[in-house]
Amino acid sequence: MTDTAQEPMLAADGRPLKQSLARALRRQKTRALLMIAPLLLFVMLTFVIPILSMLMRSVENAIVPDTLPGTVAALSAWDASSGRAPDEVVYRHLFIDLFKAAEAKEHTKLGTRLNYEQTGQSSLFRTSGRKLDDLAEPYQDAIEDISPDFKEAAFWYELMSGEDGSALLAQRRDLWNALVGEELSGEAGFMPSAQIAQLLPWTARAYTDFALWSALVKNDTVAEERPWEAVYAALAMDLEDPAKRQAIADYDGAGAAQLQALAAAQSDLPAVRLREGFIELNRSWGEPRIWTTIKLYSPRYTPGYFLNAVDMQLSPDGAEAKPENQQIYTQLFKRTLIMALIITGSCILLGYPVAWILANLPARTANVLMILVLLPFWTSLLVRTSAWKVLLQQQGVINEILVWLGFVDDANRLVLMNNATGTVIAMTHILLPFMILPLYSVMKTIPPSYLRAAKSLGATNWTAFRRVYFPQSVPGIGAGSILVFILAIGYYITPEIVGGTSGVFISNRIAYHISSSLNWGLAAALGTILLVVVLALYWLYDRIVGIDNVKLGG
């Protein structure tokens, strides 16, 4: 027997049929992808990226370690439960970090961030930043009295410049970039001396910070600028170390004579007591609670915003509940969900009969009435809400009519404004069309013959409605409920105007933190929790009712 190889089937172009089909399928998928690419891009830019940004905002906390890098590192060894403020080393790092941040005008941002966790920190950092020069001036005056050469910018530049300091320069540049939030590019016109960096570490770091700021931000020539007062204080810190003074005695580089003169007269320099200096600036610097807050919020990512969003807070022992008089967000979440459900229920009760009438009237009449339903869409939301404010107030139209009809005594007018009642009434009116339209579109698809058939079989009007008509309209109720509930849970303009203190939603607090307090991290955490709650309710609705049963008509 002879085996004959089966030849593959060929397409019209001579290619194997399987290969040709795969190629056609790839082209079809590519065309489909290109057609939906603009929509995908739109969704990414307007939905996915903002949500991811919100999630990052809710946990991001880089401002503390970026503004106080040395302080944060030094604080890691401090025991917050000791009941005492940190030692002198931490205050020295704080002085260098805060002086640098004050020059860049970034210290107030740090104070604002920490003020969200502990009231008073904003003013503490703002006032302390203005007075740091006073802490350093005694060291500057004493050093210049001992060696007048330290008054000269050129002498400082020659002393601090050298070779093999690129690692220090790159490190301090990275810290500057993190502090100001942008890339400081360009040549610094200065290279630290590795020998001086080892001999005078505090001074080398402070002077390198000064040089980078002068060259890259101020566009000055480093050799022509006198250093910050902080550099003199840093030099005094180095000179207090006996080992450094001994090393200076063996140093023979640039400025050796002047450094040796300072080392020999070190006893004439004021003692570096920055801990006492900070406490003199503001007594709060001596309180452990200030340092506890800084240490708790020193990591780059923090659960603090989410804890605050559920009325909890970070403590040295972990998460704990806030004092009862500060717990507001849990109550606001509950109120928002309950009132959104009430508004949704009100829209169902009012919207169902209106939709039924529209669906069963002649088309000409129904179209005229539909214009009245849609009319609110053509009126500004702010105007509609303000109109309800006029109607609902105690001297408003509704109370005046009730008093005129004798239903309400003039001394006991109804309080319909600045409470939950006003919010429910105004928002039910505003969101009612979103319930009527899905109901109407579904009801129009229900054949009237079904009801006639049920009645011909002996059903009463109520039985025919309950067992035949209503079940077919449930998908419209589901669609309208989802629309109204999701819109209601995120509303903030109407509750802000008519809700008062007992009728506002969690969205009002989110808007406050975004536009007024500028606590965007807490606003992002509240928004994230609200999003998770809505998604959870959506999932629950899908499990109980089934999202496939939701229809907008057809």
Side-chain angles (χ1 to χ4, degrees):
M1 295 180 62
T2 305
D3 294 334
T4 57
Q6 185 177 2
E7 295 185 3
M9 297 181 64
L10 301 178
D13 58 358
R15 297 174 182 271
L17 181 60
K18 184 176 181 180
Q19 181 181 354
S20 182
L21 289 174
R23 184 182 181 188
L25 184 61
R26 285 196 302 271
R27 287 180 177 177
Q28 184 179 6
K29 290 182 177 179
T30 302
R31 284 196 297 269
L33 180 61
L34 291 175
M35 290 180 66
I36 66 170
L39 177 60
L40 288 176
L41 181 61
F42 176 78
V43 171
M44 286 289 294
L45 292 177
T46 62
F47 185 73
V48 177
I49 293 178
I51 287 181
L52 292 177
S53 176
M54 179 179 69
L55 292 173
M56 284 301 299
R57 282 272 188 183
S58 63
V59 296
E60 189 271 335
N61 190 54
I63 187 171
V64 179
D66 286 345
T67 308
L68 304 176
T71 309
V72 167
L75 266 180
S76 61
W78 175 64
D79 183 7
S81 63
S82 64
R84 299 188 303 273
D87 57 18
E88 172 69 19
V89 174
V90 175
Y91 284 88
R92 293 186 179 188
H93 281 286
L94 175 67
F95 174 79
I96 297 297
D97 290 337
L98 196 56
F99 196 103
K100 176 180 172 182
E103 289 292 329
K105 310 299 182 185
E106 296 290 332
H107 64 299
T108 55
K109 297 179 182 179
L110 174 63
T112 301
R113 166 67 188 95
L114 295 176
N115 198 70
Y116 298 147
E117 314 302 334
Q118 185 181 80
T119 304
Q121 297 241 22
S122 179
S123 60
L124 174 65
F125 277 86
R126 184 174 60 255
T127 56
S128 298
R130 291 198 299 260
K131 299 177 180 178
L132 291 179
D133 292 349
D134 297 337
L135 290 182
E137 282 181 359
Y139 310 109
Q140 179 181 1
D141 294 340
I143 289 172
E144 290 176 349
D145 287 343
I146 294 173
S147 179
D149 288 334
F150 282 96
K151 297 180 180 180
E152 304 298 328
F155 170 77
W156 271 105
Y157 183 81
E158 182 183 4
L159 171 66
M160 304 306 298
S161 299
E163 299 178 348
D164 302 326
S166 56
L168 175 62
L169 187 67
Q171 178 202 27
R172 305 312 290 186
R173 185 194 290 261
D174 289 341
L175 291 177
W176 266 122
N177 293 339
L179 175 63
V180 300
E182 61 183 66
E183 191 76 20
L184 297 183
S185 58
E187 291 296 327
F190 165 75
M191 176 59 68
S193 166
Q195 185 180 11
I196 286 292
Q198 184 176 5
L199 184 67
L200 306 171
W202 285 101
T203 312
R205 291 194 294 266
Y207 188 87
T208 304
D209 289 339
F210 152 76
L212 287 169
W213 184 253
S214 299
L216 304 182
V217 178
K218 297 294 187 179
N219 295 319
D220 295 329
T221 302
V222 179
E224 298 175 356
E225 298 296 320
R226 292 185 64 183
W228 295 333
E229 292 86 347
V231 179
Y232 291 88
L235 179 57
M237 297 178 203
D238 286 322
L239 291 172
E240 279 200 336
D241 187 349
K244 300 302 180 186
R245 294 200 299 271
Q246 180 61 42
I248 289 174
D250 300 330
Y251 172 69
D252 58 358
Q258 291 86 344
L259 286 178
Q260 289 165 2
L262 285 179
Q266 189 274 331
S267 59
D268 296 333
L269 294 176
V272 181
R273 298 292 182 266
L274 291 177
R275 186 178 190 274
E276 297 175 3
F278 270 101
I279 295 174
E280 287 180 7
L281 289 181
N282 194 308
R283 293 174 58 186
S284 296
W285 285 117
E287 299 176 3
R289 63 189 184 93
I290 298 292
W291 296 100
T292 300
T293 302
I294 295 175
K295 185 173 183 178
L296 286 175
Y297 291 92
S298 60
R300 290 189 172 274
Y301 299 97
T302 176
Y305 290 123
F306 279 102
L307 290 175
N308 288 335
V310 293
D311 294 325
M312 300 184 72
Q313 60 187 359
L314 279 178
S315 71
D317 299 325
E320 62 180 25
K322 283 187 174 182
E324 190 172 348
N325 61 348
Q326 298 180 19
Q327 297 181 11
I328 59 173
Y329 296 115
T330 304
Q331 179 183 354
L332 278 175
F333 274 115
K334 291 178 181 178
R335 179 193 299 168
T336 300
L337 292 174
I338 292 172
M339 291 183 64
L341 289 172
I342 293 174
I343 292 166
T344 303
S346 301
C347 287
I348 293 174
L349 292 176
L350 296 175
Y352 195 95
V354 174
W356 184 86
I357 293 173
L358 291 173
N360 289 277
L361 283 174
R364 185 182 182 88
T365 307
N367 289 338
V368 173
L369 295 178
M370 182 60 73
I371 292 175
L372 298 180
V373 172
L374 297 176
L375 188 60
F377 285 135
W378 305 332
T379 308
S380 166
L381 173 63
L382 190 60
V383 172
R384 283 180 281 164
T385 304
S386 300
W388 275 111
K389 189 173 183 178
V390 174
L391 290 170
L392 295 175
Q393 59 186 326
Q394 285 188 293
Q395 304 300 323
V397 177
I398 293 177
N399 268 298
E400 290 292 343
I401 293 175
L402 291 176
V403 171
W404 179 68
L405 294 174
F407 294 134
V408 175
D409 184 69
D410 187 53
N412 298 303
R413 292 172 177 253
L414 299 180
V415 181
L416 302 175
M417 269 287 297
N418 298 324
N419 53 28
T421 303
T423 300
V424 170
I425 293 174
M427 288 188 62
T428 298
H429 166 256
I430 290 170
L431 298 178
L432 190 57
F434 293 99
M435 180 65 71
I436 293 175
L437 293 176
L439 281 170
Y440 171 75
S441 63
V442 170
M443 289 177 178
K444 285 293 289 184
T445 65
I446 302 175
S449 58
Y450 287 3
L451 286 176
R452 292 196 296 267
K455 292 177 183 178
S456 68
L457 294 174
T460 62
N461 288 334
W462 169 247
T463 303
F465 171 79
R466 179 173 58 86
R467 300 189 62 179
V468 176
Y469 193 88
F470 181 77
Q472 295 183 80
S473 66
V474 167
I477 295 176
S481 298
I482 289 177
L483 281 174
V484 171
F485 181 81
I486 292 178
L487 288 172
I489 208 172
Y491 251 60
Y492 70 94
I493 295 178
T494 303
E496 183 71 25
I497 295 176
V498 301
T501 57
S502 61
V504 296
F505 288 2
I506 191 66
S507 51
N508 295 98
R509 203 64 186 173
I510 295 174
Y512 166 76
H513 286 306
I514 289 175
S515 60
S516 298
S517 74
L518 301 182
N519 191 350
W520 291 355
L522 180 55
L526 292 170
T528 301
I529 293 175
L530 189 61
L531 175 64
V532 171
V533 169
V534 171
L535 292 176
L537 292 173
Y538 180 85
W539 174 84
L540 185 63
Y541 181 91
D542 183 38
R543 293 296 300 267
I544 296 175
V545 179
I547 200 64
D548 294 335
N549 294 324
V550 174
K551 295 181 181 178
L552 293 173

